[in-house]
Amino acid sequence: MRFPRLLILFFLCCTGAINAQQMNFKNAKFSRERTVDILHYKFDIAISEKEKSIAGKVTVQFIPLRPNCEVVELEQEGLNITSAKIAENSLRIYKETGKVILPLDKPYSMKDTVSVVIFYNAKPKKGLYFIAPDSLQPNRNWQVWSHGQAEDNHWWFPCYDAPNDKATTEMIVTVNEKFTAISNGQLLEEKMNGNGTKTFHFFESHPISSYLISLVAGEYVKLSDNSASVPCEYYVRPSQKEKAQLSFSRTPEMISYYENFIGMKFPFEKYAQTVVTDFMYGGMENAGATTLNETTIHDERAHLDPRTRSDGLVAHELAHQWWGDVVTPRDWSHAWLSEGFASYFDNLWVEHSLGKDEMTWEMLGTKIDAMNADRDEKRPMVWNGFENPEDIFDSHIYAKGSATLDMLRFVLGDELFQKAIRYYIAKHAYQNVETNDFKIAIEEATGYNLQWFFNEWMYKAGYPEFVVLSDYDAERNKLKITIRQTQENDDFTGLFTMPVDIEIFTETGSEVKHVWLNKRMHEFEYVYNDKPLAIVFDKGAKIMKRVTFDRTTDELLYLLEHGDVSARIQSIEQLKTRYSSDDKQKVLNAFIQRISTDAFWGVRVNATEALGAIGDASIVPTVLPLLNEQNTRLRIAALRVLERFPSDGVVFAVKNIFEKDSSYTVAAQALSSLCRIDSANAKKYCQAGLKRESHREAIRITALKELTKRKDGDAVKLAKDFSNAGNATSLRTEAIGILGGVWKDTASVVKQLINLSSDPVFHVRRAAILALENYERKDVVAALKKRMNVELDNRIQKVLSEVVKSLEEILEPENQE
């Protein structure tokens, strides 16, 4: 669903180009005004996991920011605040929606330090979550875990719940004596109380925003590790102990790399990583105490496939310890300073650990994701027009933020980019920042004023679209390259100023022309005695862009052999769709050559898929040996090609992979391919797949999908069964999607989905609501509206609102008729 076009309130034109900082949109949100500066939160609380309750007190220490401070306001929802005091002086308590207002015992000046103690209890409906065993899941471990981002922590303690205030924290928490508690900072004390409880005392000495305050408690075992600078702690369920190192063992190496690149030691007292059940995200970067979805724990078979390893998630949340936790966005419109940075540093870890080609591969995908997000909803990366802060957390800041930093690195060069990064974090350590703070830091560190770059990529939307033409004049020995920007210009998108590297290949090698683009059309001329063999526009694919550049088959084939990874990949994409009957065989031969000899697996994968797209059964002998490759993605690519050319030999080979391959994801793909090439036995293969355990239920999900494609009578029953509690969340959500997408005439399915729309698991609830959009019925609308009245999660509320609106738009014309 697209957002309505946003209203620009102002923009400043300078010499024909936009020269504004952050735009102000309709319903713009700004940094919240503060009347006090909170210095410290001290908790003394007890958790009852069976009552799903919290009770105790929090001491809030602050300095007034205004003269004659007579009242302090904090946020709270659903808390039973019983009393409050300063020293021995009791305070009156007033509540408004979402707030507690405490008139102070006297006026305080801006030089005073004030400590208010608030006593409360609650059964939190949000912010603090309780996981318990039940009849369907009797072996579940007890857990209690918090999640504060964006502004949910005030549901379990009164606080200033916005990012533009930082305080140190002290967590004294009493829990079941069987539990381990984890929170921010150093563990000062752990003591048994003799009454079936245990108390943990943590102290975080560095100031953090309130959304980064964390508490986890449950039946955990602790695994210890160390980097050169900080203790590393991994908390997992006892049954996960043997697998945990597969997920976390590279953490110390990652810490060392980030420290060296950023120029700052790990910024908190320890680094804990704790896995929890039913977490709504992959992870959350609470300061010094990251929380992770327990699906990150995997076994040796899952570890064979890079897509199911934990390195990317662990690197991302670790990077947040600097980007988001040390330097924190002043308000959520600048959240890319957190998520974009963490996403890019995740990719920098890829470059460091796996090489530049892997980094190029990752960034190609990242830039495509960012452009797709812009196509779906055109909005700037720095955007204050959101309704709820959660609306900002998508590819507009993750993917585009990462892509923008990669382009900035290209503009500045590696040395100055790192210098600017180091200066920026040193200048703003443990402070709140806005995007302009980053721009100023770059200017102070390097001397470059990059306002033009920030205008284009941070404060506006869109991306350049280029049409490139090359023409060689043999009489004049002149190569002319014409570059036009063709993107539509509007209030969001203008002409882009960017440098670009043009690589020109000749018989003597290649040379790079570094040029600047800043207008609608450029023409560049270069002298060459002979016509160049090939030309690459934007060597290394540094710019987020779309390009039309028609080249001959021979030029593309030359790049396929001599270009860098990005050039080889782009050549494959063009060659598989642009070949004449005369060229077909040499294109096929070139793909076969790349499959056999290319040094980078990604090129081999793309060449394999392209070979399948344009080849025939004669390519099978080339592809079959790929089933023995070590790289799982090559094996998967081979399976996808082989399924197009069924034969007894192919069936035998694919069946062998399904039954014996060491990778879950490869086996799942083999099952899908088997069902296509041997459809007569598809149900038999699916029945075998339904019995197979696999990480994140990859094989069962595939079996269910294949049965559904065939309208098999067992599919709806299986989907209903798999959607129930007691199954893995990944399997439940997939089953729900199948119920919504296929079985539209089944009344029992609607009833099931309505029940699931109130499921306690976030992803299950969301999947059920989305599935109900397929049922154009008044009773579905009524049920969803009823759910809207009690749903507390803003993200789910948004989905509910969109689905109800969509259904009402369909049903309303029917009512009018």
Side-chain angles (χ1 to χ4, degrees):
M1 177 179 177
R2 291 182 181 271
F3 280 76
R5 186 181 179 94
L6 300 174
L7 175 65
I8 306 287
L9 297 183
F10 75 88
F11 60 90
L12 178 64
C13 292
C14 180
T15 63
I18 299 297
N19 190 25
Q21 290 184 15
Q22 183 173 359
M23 298 181 184
N24 298 328
F25 296 92
K26 184 179 180 180
N27 301 319
K29 312 295 188 302
F30 299 98
S31 297
R32 192 178 303 173
E33 290 188 352
R34 298 182 297 153
T35 59
V36 300
D37 176 18
I38 296 178
L39 304 177
H40 187 68
Y41 292 99
K42 181 178 180 180
F43 300 85
D44 192 347
I45 55 177
I47 300 291
S48 172
E49 74 281 3
K50 293 185 178 178
E51 296 296 324
K52 298 184 178 181
S53 67
I54 180 173
K57 63 182 180 180
V58 58
T59 302
V60 184
Q61 186 183 76
F62 62 87
I63 296 175
L65 294 175
R66 315 272 174 85
N68 299 315
C69 177
E70 296 182 311
V71 65
V72 62
E73 292 185 4
L74 299 171
E75 283 148 286
Q76 68 81 31
E77 292 200 57
L79 304 183
N80 177 32
I81 297 176
T82 56
S83 63
K85 65 180 183 178
I86 295 177
E88 298 304 317
N89 299 321
S90 296
L91 305 179
R92 289 174 294 166
I93 299 169
Y94 297 96
K95 283 188 178 182
E96 291 182 0
T97 302
K99 292 182 180 180
V100 59
I101 301 169
L102 303 173
L104 304 179
D105 56 340
K106 66 177 183 178
Y108 287 91
S109 77
M110 294 183 289
K111 296 181 180 179
D112 290 321
T113 300
V114 186
S115 292
V116 174
V117 184
I118 302 168
F119 297 84
Y120 72 103
N121 57 75
K123 291 189 173 183
K125 298 179 180 179
K126 198 175 177 182
L128 191 68
Y129 302 86
F130 295 79
I131 306 297
D134 55 35
S135 59
L136 292 174
Q137 300 166 101
N139 296 321
R140 252 189 172 195
N141 288 60
W142 291 93
Q143 290 178 6
V144 183
W145 49 264
S146 67
H147 179 67
Q149 194 179 54
E151 297 174 0
D152 284 354
N153 268 346
H154 68 278
W155 287 81
W156 66 280
F157 67 90
C159 61
Y160 178 87
D161 206 357
N164 64 323
D165 182 274
K166 292 198 169 199
T168 55
T169 67
E170 195 169 356
M171 178 70 68
I172 303 171
V173 57
T174 298
V175 297
N176 187 308
E177 65 180 1
K178 297 179 181 179
F179 286 6
T180 297
I182 306 100
S183 187
N184 316 93
Q186 181 180 0
L187 178 61
L188 301 181
E189 185 182 19
E190 174 183 344
K191 66 176 182 179
M192 299 293 292
N193 298 319
N195 60 354
T197 66
K198 183 164 49 176
T199 298
F200 294 80
H201 185 180
F202 296 89
F203 186 82
E204 175 52 69
S205 63
H206 300 287
I208 59 176
S209 295
S210 58
Y211 77 93
L212 297 168
I213 296 173
S214 174
L215 174 62
V216 180
E219 299 170 85
Y220 285 107
V221 293
K222 172 185 172 182
L223 305 176
S224 296
D225 205 345
N226 284 284
S227 73
S229 60
V230 64
C232 297
E233 304 168 355
Y234 317 136
Y235 294 90
V236 298
R237 292 191 282 115
S239 62
Q240 299 166 332
K241 182 178 179 180
E242 300 305 318
K243 302 174 184 175
Q245 286 297 334
L246 292 172
S247 296
F248 304 130
S249 63
R250 302 200 73 178
T251 302
E253 185 184 351
M254 292 177 183
I255 290 174
S256 296
Y257 169 68
Y258 284 156
E259 289 176 335
N260 290 332
F261 192 99
I262 297 169
M264 174 186 283
K265 292 293 185 183
F266 185 85
F268 299 102
E269 291 86 349
K270 69 165 188 301
Y271 189 50
Q273 295 176 90
T274 306
V275 298
V276 302
T277 301
D278 291 343
F279 198 57
M280 59 279 289
Y281 299 112
M284 177 60 206
E285 65 273 13
N286 305 304
T290 284
T291 303
L292 297 169
N293 193 309
E294 70 176 355
T295 58
T296 196
I297 300 296
H298 57 273
D299 62 17
E300 290 81 358
R301 287 188 66 185
H303 200 68
L304 295 171
D305 193 327
R307 292 173 298 179
T308 49
R309 292 177 192 165
S310 300
D311 286 3
L313 175 62
V314 171
H316 181 97
E317 304 305 337
L318 174 61
H320 268 307
Q321 301 301 308
W322 290 267
W323 312 118
D325 296 5
V326 171
V327 285
T328 307
R330 188 174 300 279
D331 67 72
W332 297 116
S333 68
H334 299 276
W336 84 274
L337 293 170
S338 174
E339 298 300 347
F341 269 69
S343 297
Y344 189 59
F345 272 74
D346 170 5
N347 286 334
L348 286 177
W349 165 253
V350 168
E351 182 179 47
H352 170 75
S353 60
L354 298 175
K356 290 186 179 297
D357 288 349
E358 292 273 358
M359 171 68 157
T360 298
W361 177 270
E362 292 294 331
M363 291 312 306
L364 284 170
T366 295
K367 287 166 185 171
I368 290 171
D369 289 345
M371 289 188 290
N372 288 342
D374 186 88
R375 181 197 62 202
D376 293 341
E377 180 196 352
K378 201 169 191 180
R379 75 170 199 243
M381 192 159 64
V382 180
W383 178 55
N384 58 16
F386 52 85
E387 293 183 20
N388 295 300
E390 288 83 1
D391 297 346
I392 203 83
F393 292 90
D394 60 21
S395 289
H396 287 86
I397 66 170
Y398 287 83
K400 187 178 179 182
S402 178
T404 298
L405 288 171
D406 195 53
M407 291 186 287
L408 178 63
R409 179 183 173 188
F410 171 62
V411 170
L412 291 174
D414 287 359
E415 187 174 359
L416 288 183
F417 176 76
Q418 186 175 30
K419 181 182 180 185
I421 288 291
R422 290 181 167 194
Y423 180 84
Y424 166 61
I425 198 167
K427 180 180 180 181
H428 296 289
Y430 304 105
Q431 298 175 17
N432 290 106
V433 289
E434 297 180 358
T435 300
N436 199 52
D437 293 318
F438 183 40
K439 184 199 79 73
I440 292 171
I442 295 170
E443 185 174 349
E444 291 175 346
T446 71
Y448 286 111
N449 186 332
L450 296 185
Q451 185 67 59
W452 60 271
F453 183 91
F454 278 63
N455 289 344
E456 290 176 358
W457 297 109
M458 284 75 156
Y459 300 128
K460 305 209 76 182
Y463 48 84
E465 298 180 26
F466 296 108
V467 173
V468 182
L469 300 172
S470 66
D471 180 63
Y472 181 73
D473 187 337
E475 292 184 1
R476 298 173 58 232
N477 294 336
K478 288 286 185 69
L479 171 68
K480 182 169 74 172
I481 298 175
T482 304
I483 303 167
R484 289 182 307 168
Q485 291 192 45
T486 61
Q487 69 274 9
E488 181 180 349
N489 294 161
D490 54 27
D491 290 338
F492 288 95
T493 307
L495 291 174
F496 284 79
T497 295
M498 279 297 288
V500 64
D501 284 343
I502 302 173
E503 187 173 22
I504 302 169
F505 289 85
T506 65
E507 292 286 357
T508 58
S510 72
E511 62 178 332
V512 175
K513 305 293 186 181
H514 188 74
V515 301
W516 280 82
L517 309 178
N518 58 10
K519 55 186 180 181
R520 179 67 69 182
M521 187 178 79
H522 287 272
E523 290 184 350
F524 301 99
E525 286 193 343
Y526 305 104
V527 175
Y528 286 99
N529 292 330
D530 296 298
K531 182 180 179 180
L533 299 171
I535 300 168
V536 173
F537 175 77
D538 187 22
K539 176 179 171 59
K542 299 299 183 183
I543 304 174
M544 191 174 90
K545 67 192 181 303
R546 298 207 187 273
V547 179
T548 301
F549 187 8
D550 290 333
R551 285 164 287 187
T552 68
T553 299
D554 286 341
E555 288 174 317
L556 293 171
L557 290 173
Y558 185 88
L559 291 176
L560 185 56
E561 184 174 355
H562 299 283
D564 62 14
V565 162
S566 63
R568 301 201 301 275
I569 289 171
Q570 291 165 18
S571 296
I572 291 170
E573 291 304 303
Q574 288 186 271
L575 284 167
K576 73 180 183 183
T577 58
R578 293 174 59 251
Y579 65 93
S580 68
S581 58
D582 294 337
D583 291 335
K584 180 174 181 178
Q585 193 56 52
K586 63 181 180 181
V587 171
L588 289 172
N589 291 341
F591 288 164
I592 291 170
Q593 181 72 9
R594 284 299 98 200
I595 291 169
S596 302
T597 64
D598 203 279
F600 181 56
W601 65 265
V603 174
R604 298 180 69 196
V605 164
N606 282 21
T608 301
E609 293 174 344
L611 187 67
I614 68 174
D616 54 32
S618 64
I619 69 170
V620 169
T622 299
V623 178
L624 273 174
L626 298 179
L627 296 179
N628 298 316
E629 287 283 342
Q630 184 176 359
N631 188 292
T632 57
R633 286 168 287 199
L634 264 173
R635 302 207 297 277
I636 288 172
L639 288 165
R640 288 174 176 166
V641 170
L642 290 170
E643 70 181 31
R644 301 175 190 176
F645 309 108
S647 68
D648 290 345
V650 168
V651 171
F652 177 82
V654 175
K655 185 179 178 182
N656 186 61
I657 291 293
F658 172 56
E659 293 173 349
K660 299 179 180 179
D661 198 273
S662 56
S663 164
Y664 294 126
T665 52
V666 174
Q669 178 58 53
L671 172 57
S672 179
S673 297
L674 264 181
C675 290
R676 180 170 179 178
I677 61 180
D678 188 13
S679 57
N681 292 306
K683 184 161 187 175
K684 180 181 71 173
Y685 298 134
C686 289
Q687 288 172 336
L690 290 169
K691 298 175 183 177
R692 298 266 291 272
E693 300 288 339
S694 58
H695 183 61
R696 299 182 185 175
E697 295 284 14
I699 297 175
R700 282 199 184 98
I701 287 172
T702 300
L704 181 58
K705 284 181 176 179
E706 292 300 326
L707 288 172
T708 303
K709 286 179 186 177
R710 288 155 181 80
K711 304 288 185 180
D712 187 277
D714 291 340
V716 67
K717 182 181 184 304
L718 285 167
K720 288 176 70 175
D721 290 344
F722 286 150
S723 69
N724 288 322
N727 294 296
T729 299
S730 56
L731 182 57
R732 296 185 70 193
T733 55
E734 193 66 45
I736 288 167
I738 285 171
L739 291 175
V742 179
W743 312 102
K744 296 183 179 181
D745 58 348
T746 307
S748 62
V749 168
V750 174
K751 182 179 179 180
Q752 175 108 339
L753 291 174
I754 288 173
N755 289 336
L756 291 169
S757 69
S758 59
D759 194 273
V761 179
F762 172 90
H763 291 291
V764 171
R765 202 156 74 247
R766 183 178 183 276
I769 293 163
L770 288 171
L772 284 166
E773 189 172 8
N774 293 303
Y775 296 89
E776 298 160 7
R777 295 166 42 154
K778 293 179 182 179
D779 60 331
V780 170
V781 173
L784 292 175
K785 284 185 172 180
K786 183 178 180 181
R787 183 65 208 166
M788 289 175 73
N789 293 329
V790 295
E791 178 61 54
L792 295 173
D793 192 288
N794 292 333
R795 294 149 292 200
I796 301 293
Q797 275 284 4
K798 182 180 179 180
V799 174
L800 279 165
S801 177
E802 291 173 350
V803 171
V804 167
K805 181 180 178 181
S806 174
L807 289 174
E808 286 183 332
E809 287 175 351
I810 294 168
L811 293 171
E812 188 174 347
E814 296 178 2
N815 294 337
Q816 291 175 352
E817 292 176 4

